[in-house]
mmCIF file of all heavy atoms in Angstrom:
data_model
loop_
_atom_site.group_PDB
_atom_site.id
_atom_site.type_symbol
_atom_site.label_atom_id
_atom_site.label_comp_id
_atom_site.label_asym_id
_atom_site.label_seq_id
_atom_site.Cartn_x
_atom_site.Cartn_y
_atom_site.Cartn_z
ATOM 1 N N GLU A 139 -201.484 -71.030 37.038
ATOM 2 C CA GLU A 139 -200.324 -71.575 36.335
ATOM 3 C C GLU A 139 -200.203 -73.085 36.537
ATOM 4 O O GLU A 139 -199.474 -73.753 35.796
ATOM 5 C CB GLU A 139 -199.048 -70.856 36.756
ATOM 6 C CG GLU A 139 -199.011 -69.400 36.332
ATOM 7 C CD GLU A 139 -199.438 -69.177 34.875
ATOM 8 O OE1 GLU A 139 -199.070 -69.993 34.013
ATOM 9 O OE2 GLU A 139 -200.162 -68.201 34.614
ATOM 10 N N LEU A 444 -189.438 -65.174 21.141
ATOM 11 C CA LEU A 444 -190.726 -64.500 21.299
ATOM 12 C C LEU A 444 -191.618 -65.326 22.214
ATOM 13 O O LEU A 444 -191.942 -66.474 21.907
ATOM 14 C CB LEU A 444 -191.405 -64.314 19.940
ATOM 15 C CG LEU A 444 -192.829 -63.729 19.977
ATOM 16 C CD1 LEU A 444 -192.837 -62.348 20.621
ATOM 17 C CD2 LEU A 444 -193.425 -63.680 18.571
ATOM 18 N N ILE A 445 -191.994 -64.736 23.344
ATOM 19 C CA ILE A 445 -192.965 -65.328 24.264
ATOM 20 C C ILE A 445 -194.283 -64.608 23.996
ATOM 21 O O ILE A 445 -194.413 -63.416 24.262
ATOM 22 C CB ILE A 445 -192.550 -65.148 25.739
ATOM 23 C CG1 ILE A 445 -191.100 -65.576 25.959
ATOM 24 C CG2 ILE A 445 -193.495 -65.909 26.642
ATOM 25 C CD1 ILE A 445 -190.825 -67.025 25.710
ATOM 26 N N ASP A 446 -195.264 -65.320 23.463
ATOM 27 C CA ASP A 446 -196.459 -64.681 22.908
ATOM 28 C C ASP A 446 -197.711 -65.099 23.681
ATOM 29 O O ASP A 446 -198.030 -66.275 23.780
ATOM 30 C CB ASP A 446 -196.594 -65.093 21.439
ATOM 31 C CG ASP A 446 -197.636 -64.262 20.698
ATOM 32 O OD1 ASP A 446 -198.316 -63.447 21.338
ATOM 33 O OD2 ASP A 446 -197.765 -64.446 19.475
ATOM 34 N N GLU A 447 -198.393 -64.099 24.237
ATOM 35 C CA GLU A 447 -199.672 -64.352 24.914
ATOM 36 C C GLU A 447 -200.804 -63.590 24.221
ATOM 37 O O GLU A 447 -201.881 -63.421 24.780
ATOM 38 C CB GLU A 447 -199.563 -63.941 26.387
ATOM 39 C CG GLU A 447 -200.548 -64.646 27.304
ATOM 40 C CD GLU A 447 -200.231 -64.457 28.764
ATOM 41 O OE1 GLU A 447 -200.051 -63.292 29.205
ATOM 42 O OE2 GLU A 447 -200.148 -65.448 29.495
ATOM 43 N N LEU A 448 -200.538 -63.143 22.992
ATOM 44 C CA LEU A 448 -201.534 -62.419 22.203
ATOM 45 C C LEU A 448 -201.975 -63.267 21.019
ATOM 46 O O LEU A 448 -201.146 -63.672 20.214
ATOM 47 C CB LEU A 448 -200.957 -61.103 21.680
ATOM 48 C CG LEU A 448 -200.724 -59.978 22.692
ATOM 49 C CD1 LEU A 448 -200.058 -58.807 22.002
ATOM 50 C CD2 LEU A 448 -202.033 -59.535 23.322
ATOM 51 N N GLY A 449 -203.240 -63.502 20.866
ATOM 52 C CA GLY A 449 -203.715 -64.224 19.700
ATOM 53 C C GLY A 449 -203.686 -63.380 18.433
ATOM 54 O O GLY A 449 -203.658 -63.914 17.323
ATOM 55 N N ASP A 450 -203.651 -62.059 18.580
ATOM 56 C CA ASP A 450 -203.743 -61.167 17.426
ATOM 57 C C ASP A 450 -202.462 -61.109 16.594
ATOM 58 O O ASP A 450 -202.451 -60.498 15.533
ATOM 59 C CB ASP A 450 -204.076 -59.745 17.889
ATOM 60 C CG ASP A 450 -205.466 -59.651 18.493
ATOM 61 O OD1 ASP A 450 -206.312 -60.475 18.131
ATOM 62 O OD2 ASP A 450 -205.695 -58.748 19.324
ATOM 63 N N THR A 451 -201.372 -61.689 17.067
ATOM 64 C CA THR A 451 -200.093 -61.541 16.372
ATOM 65 C C THR A 451 -199.828 -62.670 15.389
ATOM 66 O O THR A 451 -198.833 -62.643 14.665
ATOM 67 C CB THR A 451 -198.942 -61.532 17.390
ATOM 68 O OG1 THR A 451 -198.881 -62.813 18.020
ATOM 69 C CG2 THR A 451 -199.136 -60.459 18.424
ATOM 70 N N PHE A 464 -192.901 -69.283 21.519
ATOM 71 C CA PHE A 464 -193.497 -70.036 22.616
ATOM 72 C C PHE A 464 -194.809 -69.395 23.050
ATOM 73 O O PHE A 464 -194.880 -68.185 23.280
ATOM 74 C CB PHE A 464 -192.546 -70.087 23.820
ATOM 75 C CG PHE A 464 -191.227 -70.735 23.524
ATOM 76 C CD1 PHE A 464 -190.148 -69.974 23.088
ATOM 77 C CD2 PHE A 464 -191.059 -72.107 23.650
ATOM 78 C CE1 PHE A 464 -188.927 -70.558 22.799
ATOM 79 C CE2 PHE A 464 -189.844 -72.702 23.356
ATOM 80 C CZ PHE A 464 -188.778 -71.935 22.938
ATOM 81 N N MET A 465 -195.847 -70.222 23.154
ATOM 82 C CA MET A 465 -197.079 -69.860 23.846
ATOM 83 C C MET A 465 -197.305 -70.885 24.943
ATOM 84 O O MET A 465 -196.670 -71.948 24.962
ATOM 85 C CB MET A 465 -198.258 -69.798 22.882
ATOM 86 C CG MET A 465 -198.151 -68.665 21.875
ATOM 87 S SD MET A 465 -199.639 -68.424 20.847
ATOM 88 C CE MET A 465 -200.710 -67.536 21.982
ATOM 89 N N ASN A 466 -198.233 -70.600 25.860
ATOM 90 C CA ASN A 466 -198.269 -71.400 27.085
ATOM 91 C C ASN A 466 -198.890 -72.781 26.935
ATOM 92 O O ASN A 466 -198.607 -73.679 27.704
ATOM 93 C CB ASN A 466 -198.928 -70.626 28.231
ATOM 94 C CG ASN A 466 -200.424 -70.442 28.069
ATOM 95 O OD1 ASN A 466 -201.091 -71.110 27.286
ATOM 96 N ND2 ASN A 466 -200.969 -69.510 28.833
ATOM 97 N N SER A 470 -204.783 -70.083 30.616
ATOM 98 C CA SER A 470 -204.601 -69.094 31.667
ATOM 99 C C SER A 470 -203.775 -67.909 31.188
ATOM 100 O O SER A 470 -202.778 -68.070 30.481
ATOM 101 C CB SER A 470 -203.912 -69.725 32.877
ATOM 102 O OG SER A 470 -203.585 -68.740 33.832
ATOM 103 N N LEU A 471 -204.182 -66.709 31.586
ATOM 104 C CA LEU A 471 -203.404 -65.503 31.324
ATOM 105 C C LEU A 471 -202.402 -65.273 32.454
ATOM 106 O O LEU A 471 -202.582 -65.752 33.569
ATOM 107 C CB LEU A 471 -204.327 -64.296 31.201
ATOM 108 C CG LEU A 471 -205.298 -64.275 30.017
ATOM 109 C CD1 LEU A 471 -206.174 -63.035 30.094
ATOM 110 C CD2 LEU A 471 -204.556 -64.324 28.698
ATOM 111 N N GLY A 472 -201.362 -64.504 32.150
ATOM 112 C CA GLY A 472 -200.391 -64.123 33.173
ATOM 113 C C GLY A 472 -199.113 -64.929 33.141
ATOM 114 O O GLY A 472 -198.184 -64.651 33.904
ATOM 115 N N TRP A 473 -199.033 -65.927 32.261
ATOM 116 C CA TRP A 473 -197.864 -66.805 32.182
ATOM 117 C C TRP A 473 -196.675 -66.115 31.536
ATOM 118 O O TRP A 473 -195.523 -66.310 31.944
ATOM 119 C CB TRP A 473 -198.275 -68.039 31.383
ATOM 120 C CG TRP A 473 -197.193 -68.924 30.890
ATOM 121 C CD1 TRP A 473 -196.611 -69.960 31.554
ATOM 122 C CD2 TRP A 473 -196.571 -68.893 29.579
ATOM 123 N NE1 TRP A 473 -195.670 -70.580 30.756
ATOM 124 C CE2 TRP A 473 -195.631 -69.942 29.546
ATOM 125 C CE3 TRP A 473 -196.738 -68.091 28.462
ATOM 126 C CZ2 TRP A 473 -194.847 -70.197 28.421
ATOM 127 C CZ3 TRP A 473 -195.963 -68.334 27.346
ATOM 128 C CH2 TRP A 473 -195.031 -69.378 27.325
ATOM 129 N N ALA A 474 -196.920 -65.311 30.518
ATOM 130 C CA ALA A 474 -195.850 -64.858 29.633
ATOM 131 C C ALA A 474 -194.789 -64.027 30.340
ATOM 132 O O ALA A 474 -193.590 -64.206 30.105
ATOM 133 C CB ALA A 474 -196.447 -64.059 28.473
ATOM 134 N N THR A 475 -195.188 -63.104 31.206
ATOM 135 C CA THR A 475 -194.222 -62.170 31.788
ATOM 136 C C THR A 475 -193.167 -62.887 32.627
ATOM 137 O O THR A 475 -192.020 -62.443 32.680
ATOM 138 C CB THR A 475 -194.948 -61.136 32.668
ATOM 139 O OG1 THR A 475 -195.828 -61.809 33.565
ATOM 140 C CG2 THR A 475 -195.742 -60.164 31.818
ATOM 141 N N CYS A 492 -191.546 -60.295 24.958
ATOM 142 C CA CYS A 492 -192.769 -60.823 25.563
ATOM 143 C C CYS A 492 -193.939 -59.960 25.109
ATOM 144 O O CYS A 492 -193.938 -58.745 25.327
ATOM 145 C CB CYS A 492 -192.658 -60.807 27.086
ATOM 146 S SG CYS A 492 -194.201 -61.177 27.946
ATOM 147 N N LEU A 493 -194.930 -60.571 24.466
ATOM 148 C CA LEU A 493 -196.137 -59.861 24.042
ATOM 149 C C LEU A 493 -197.299 -60.347 24.882
ATOM 150 O O LEU A 493 -197.591 -61.540 24.948
ATOM 151 C CB LEU A 493 -196.430 -60.138 22.563
ATOM 152 C CG LEU A 493 -195.330 -59.815 21.551
ATOM 153 C CD1 LEU A 493 -195.848 -60.024 20.135
ATOM 154 C CD2 LEU A 493 -194.805 -58.398 21.728
ATOM 155 N N THR A 494 -197.980 -59.411 25.530
ATOM 156 C CA THR A 494 -199.108 -59.769 26.384
ATOM 157 C C THR A 494 -200.127 -58.646 26.376
ATOM 158 O O THR A 494 -199.816 -57.507 26.032
ATOM 159 C CB THR A 494 -198.628 -60.063 27.822
ATOM 160 O OG1 THR A 494 -199.721 -60.517 28.622
ATOM 161 C CG2 THR A 494 -198.016 -58.827 28.469
ATOM 162 N N GLY A 495 -201.348 -58.973 26.752
ATOM 163 C CA GLY A 495 -202.367 -57.949 26.905
ATOM 164 C C GLY A 495 -202.301 -57.315 28.271
ATOM 165 O O GLY A 495 -201.597 -57.789 29.172
ATOM 166 N N GLY A 497 -204.649 -57.237 30.508
ATOM 167 C CA GLY A 497 -205.199 -58.147 31.495
ATOM 168 C C GLY A 497 -204.197 -59.216 31.887
ATOM 169 O O GLY A 497 -203.989 -59.501 33.078
ATOM 170 N N GLY A 498 -203.542 -59.829 30.897
ATOM 171 C CA GLY A 498 -202.532 -60.838 31.179
ATOM 172 C C GLY A 498 -201.361 -60.271 31.945
ATOM 173 O O GLY A 498 -200.803 -60.928 32.835
ATOM 174 N N TYR A 499 -200.973 -59.049 31.620
ATOM 175 C CA TYR A 499 -199.852 -58.414 32.316
ATOM 176 C C TYR A 499 -200.174 -58.230 33.803
ATOM 177 O O TYR A 499 -199.343 -58.518 34.672
ATOM 178 C CB TYR A 499 -199.553 -57.072 31.663
ATOM 179 C CG TYR A 499 -198.333 -56.365 32.220
ATOM 180 C CD1 TYR A 499 -197.060 -56.851 31.960
ATOM 181 C CD2 TYR A 499 -198.463 -55.206 32.977
ATOM 182 C CE1 TYR A 499 -195.932 -56.203 32.464
ATOM 183 C CE2 TYR A 499 -197.350 -54.543 33.469
ATOM 184 C CZ TYR A 499 -196.079 -55.044 33.215
ATOM 185 O OH TYR A 499 -194.976 -54.400 33.710
ATOM 186 N N PHE A 501 -202.340 -59.977 35.552
ATOM 187 C CA PHE A 501 -202.407 -61.304 36.162
ATOM 188 C C PHE A 501 -201.018 -61.831 36.512
ATOM 189 O O PHE A 501 -200.861 -62.635 37.427
ATOM 190 C CB PHE A 501 -203.055 -62.296 35.185
ATOM 191 C CG PHE A 501 -204.558 -62.281 35.191
ATOM 192 C CD1 PHE A 501 -205.274 -61.319 35.856
ATOM 193 C CD2 PHE A 501 -205.247 -63.264 34.497
ATOM 194 C CE1 PHE A 501 -206.649 -61.309 35.843
ATOM 195 C CE2 PHE A 501 -206.634 -63.271 34.474
ATOM 196 C CZ PHE A 501 -207.335 -62.297 35.152
ATOM 197 N N GLY A 502 -199.994 -61.411 35.741
ATOM 198 C CA GLY A 502 -198.675 -62.014 35.865
ATOM 199 C C GLY A 502 -197.823 -61.497 37.009
ATOM 200 O O GLY A 502 -196.654 -61.873 37.091
#
Side-chain angles (χ1 to χ4, degrees):
E139 294 314 320
L444 175 60
I445 310 297
D446 192 355
E447 204 168 51
L448 288 176
D450 294 334
T451 65
F464 300 91
M465 293 188 79
N466 71 17
S470 173
L471 295 177
W473 166 87
T475 50
C492 170
L493 304 186
T494 185
Y499 185 71
F501 277 10

